[in-house]
Amino acid sequence: MHTCTKHMNARAAWRCSKCDSTLCPACAVTANIQRTEIIRCLSCGGVAQQIMTQKVIVPYWGMFGVFLQAIFSLTGLLQILALAAMVFLSSLIPIVGWVISLGIYAGYYFLVITRYSFGEEKLPIPADFSDVFDDIFAPFFRFIIGTLLVWVPALLYINAHVGFGLMFSSPAAAFSDPILILIILVSIAYFPGVMITAAVTQSTLAMLNPMIILGIILRIPGHYFLTVIVWGMMTVANAFLRNLVGPILYEHHVFLLTGILNEAVGLLIPMLTAMVLGRLVYQNGETLGYHTPKDLTVPEFPGATPQATAPQGGWEQPKAIQAPIEPIELEEDSSSAVLRPAPGGGFVAAGGPPAATKPKAQPQPAPAAPTAASPTNLLENALQTSDNQAALQAFKKLTESGQVPDLEPQLELRLANLLERSGQSLAAAHACRRAAEKDMQGPMASRAIFTSARLLVEKLGQKQQGAAMYKYLVENFPGDPLSERAREMLRRLKGSGV
Ligand SMILES: [Zn+2]
Ligand SMILES: [Zn+2]
């Protein structure tokens, strides 16, 4: 038995084909793909397969309780009564009645063997006899031939070596002939094999081919001879039962009913023998070559149904990160501030001195308070009046003097927009970051983070960092409309292998 990879005490029913986890119902999701129901792994979304196990086949000697239940259940008894009625009533037809009657009986007998050879455990519904040849005459011929195969050799021997005269005048002497006894024993031993072949191959030719019958016997000699003995005993028991019950029934004769009941009693043990013969094939199915190994496997945890529901947004979205995610560096070599989302929400500026390859871009630790004519003020005014040209110029002056703009979040975003349109993506990303930092819980934050992530991914080629920003947005602003777009962006990034 397999247990769940995640829940050590839970029984697993599936195995994920992607992450190889074994899954209990709580770890599996039912999904529909093109109207086909599949099972998916909750943690990775991979398609999961049922865990199969070798079928444990109880041999027929352990199945008599089940067999008797099949016969003596309400449906079983109704089936037998219906069959008995057909057998009895058709026997009343003049001249051909016995052929039809025996054909119906044989047809059902073979049907039971066939079904039980596939592991069936209930009495099958009788054929509707719509095809007179297939349902009545073919089984009739097969049954007659099978029976003849038992008696003809003995009769031929008696005719040639013993004489029918002696048979009738002194049966004891006739049956003391060891060769005759041997012939009869061999024929009887042969009979179950013939019946199995008749039922399983549905071919009269196969029945007449001794190699096929011998093939069955020699592959399973132990089981086969045990079955011959069981079958012989049941045949004797059947004769005994019929002789016991028949006279009692006919003592209280009721029109038609007695005949039907008598037939029904006569069907009980033959149906049991048919079950035994069919089960003999089933329990040796692999040895006899009737079943492929696949027929002989069953789900290890049958009837298990997935209980989990798919995560919101699908599986393309990586699971929420418990620990703080990797620091997001907006600029590899010139930023002093390393952005790191803090557990309580918001970014924390972290990290020591950056590799200073562009010392010019380093922000001043304490920028001088802006005067009226300072670049910061000019920038602020230009942004407020939507003077894009002036804003860009002011921004240029500001950065050239080594300063960092210090604006309202909304203006930072406006600046970012402007910078992006003028091709300064990196500076735009910075502006976004600043906006987000200043307005962590405010209405500007999600937009700032989203824009920053998009710039990183699309303009600066820093896909990992952009993805981290998107993830941060998804996790910290789940209700925000931009969160949904961030998810979509992550899905696309995933699709492109990030
Ligand atoms: Zn998986
Ligand atoms: Zn589980």
Side-chain angles (χ1 to χ4, degrees):
M1 197 184 86
H2 288 83
T3 49
C4 177
T5 305
K6 225 181 240 165
H7 309 98
M8 294 308 276
N9 292 322
R11 195 172 163 195
W14 306 273
R15 184 188 296 282
C16 176
S17 54
K18 200 164 149 197
C19 70
D20 209 40
S21 302
T22 49
L23 311 172
C24 75
C27 292
V29 178
T30 307
N32 281 292
I33 290 186
Q34 290 165 348
R35 283 189 224 137
T36 314
E37 202 167 81
I38 59 154
I39 311 292
R40 297 183 74 171
C41 170
L42 177 64
S43 61
C44 80
V47 177
Q49 311 287 348
Q50 226 169 16
I51 301 172
M52 301 299 278
T53 187
Q54 198 69 25
K55 208 181 267 179
V56 178
I57 296 178
V58 180
Y60 70 77
W61 46 86
M63 289 292 287
F64 278 101
V66 177
F67 292 168
L68 289 174
Q69 238 180 332
I71 291 173
F72 290 103
S73 65
L74 184 63
T75 47
L77 285 174
L78 285 175
Q79 222 103 265
I80 298 246
L81 275 176
L83 185 69
M86 284 190 283
V87 168
F88 178 72
L89 295 177
S90 58
S91 73
L92 302 178
I93 300 169
I95 306 163
V96 293
W98 72 279
V99 174
I100 298 171
S101 170
L102 184 58
I104 290 172
Y105 167 80
Y108 194 71
Y109 186 79
F110 290 139
L111 182 67
V112 173
I113 298 180
T114 311
R115 290 292 172 80
Y116 274 66
S117 76
F118 289 110
E120 178 84 47
E121 292 178 4
K122 291 208 165 71
L123 275 179
I125 293 166
D128 58 8
F129 304 106
S130 55
D131 188 321
V132 173
F133 182 80
D134 268 5
D135 294 339
I136 298 173
F137 288 111
F140 168 80
F141 281 120
R142 271 183 240 132
F143 199 83
I144 289 291
I145 286 167
T147 313
L148 285 179
L149 282 173
V150 177
W151 296 111
V152 164
L155 292 177
L156 288 177
Y157 182 80
I158 290 168
N159 188 37
H161 299 279
V162 183
F164 284 102
L166 183 65
M167 270 293 294
F168 293 114
S169 61
S170 168
F175 280 106
S176 65
D177 185 333
I179 296 175
L180 180 60
I181 302 288
L182 191 70
I183 289 173
I184 290 172
L185 284 179
V186 168
S187 300
I188 288 174
Y190 198 70
F191 186 69
V194 173
M195 288 292 119
I196 290 171
T197 308
V200 175
T201 65
Q202 303 211 349
S203 151
T204 314
L205 220 61
M207 288 171 67
L208 292 171
N209 184 345
M211 296 317 291
I212 290 178
I213 315 289
L214 280 174
I216 294 174
I217 298 173
L218 293 178
R219 275 193 210 127
I220 49 167
H223 283 197
Y224 186 84
F225 283 107
L226 178 71
T227 307
V228 168
I229 292 165
V230 169
W231 171 78
M233 280 162 51
M234 289 169 87
T235 306
V236 172
N238 190 40
F240 184 77
L241 183 70
R242 295 203 80 159
N243 285 332
L244 185 80
V245 176
I248 298 171
L249 281 173
Y250 277 95
E251 244 174 59
H252 315 278
H253 189 264
V254 179
F255 177 67
L256 292 183
L257 190 66
T258 301
I260 292 170
L261 279 179
N262 189 46
E263 283 298 337
V265 170
L267 282 169
L268 296 177
I269 294 178
M271 287 311 120
L272 207 55
T273 46
M275 291 171 177
V276 166
L277 293 181
R279 191 76 182 184
L280 175 72
V281 173
Y282 183 60
Q283 74 198 44
N284 292 290
E286 227 181 333
T287 319
L288 292 172
Y290 288 128
H291 305 144
T292 61
K294 206 185 159 221
D295 294 330
L296 301 170
T297 58
V298 282
E300 188 183 279
F301 184 179
T305 30
Q307 302 295 326
T309 43
Q312 278 214 329
W315 280 277
E316 287 75 13
Q317 170 206 347
K319 277 169 58 187
I321 299 159
Q322 309 296 318
I325 54 168
E326 291 292 299
I328 305 163
E329 290 185 54
L330 291 185
E331 191 179 358
E332 279 176 351
D333 50 7
S334 67
S335 167
S336 65
V338 172
L339 220 52
R340 182 208 295 270
F347 285 110
V348 172
T357 46
K358 277 196 238 161
K360 255 185 165 181
Q362 286 245 22
Q364 299 297 313
T371 57
S374 74
T376 300
N377 267 11
L378 284 174
L379 178 60
E380 200 169 351
N381 287 338
L383 285 169
Q384 269 161 354
T385 55
S386 295
D387 188 345
N388 296 346
Q389 212 53 43
L392 283 173
Q393 274 176 7
F395 177 76
K396 203 178 168 209
K397 267 192 191 151
L398 196 68
T399 47
E400 272 171 3
S401 69
Q403 290 182 54
V404 175
D406 183 19
L407 302 160
E408 291 291 297
Q410 207 174 342
L411 292 182
E412 290 279 16
L413 282 177
R414 204 174 285 172
L415 173 66
N417 220 341
L418 212 56
L419 289 169
E420 195 203 338
R421 270 187 277 152
S422 69
Q424 304 176 62
S425 300
L426 187 59
H430 275 271
C432 286
R433 191 204 66 203
R434 286 193 302 270
E437 279 174 331
K438 281 171 190 153
D439 183 40
M440 227 38 252
Q441 308 302 325
M444 292 297 132
S446 59
R447 214 179 119 210
I449 297 166
F450 183 84
T451 312
S452 174
R454 200 164 53 78
L455 287 170
L456 284 166
V457 171
E458 291 168 19
K459 295 285 162 67
L460 302 166
Q462 298 180 8
K463 291 188 177 177
Q464 296 286 356
Q465 290 170 26
M469 295 283 272
Y470 282 134
K471 265 183 236 172
Y472 180 86
L473 183 59
V474 166
E475 281 159 25
N476 292 283
F477 298 86
D480 197 285
L482 281 173
S483 191
E484 191 45 53
R485 281 184 67 193
R487 244 180 236 127
E488 173 58 33
M489 294 300 191
L490 281 168
R491 230 166 277 151
R492 276 191 227 162
L493 280 173
K494 179 94 176 177
S496 68
V498 175

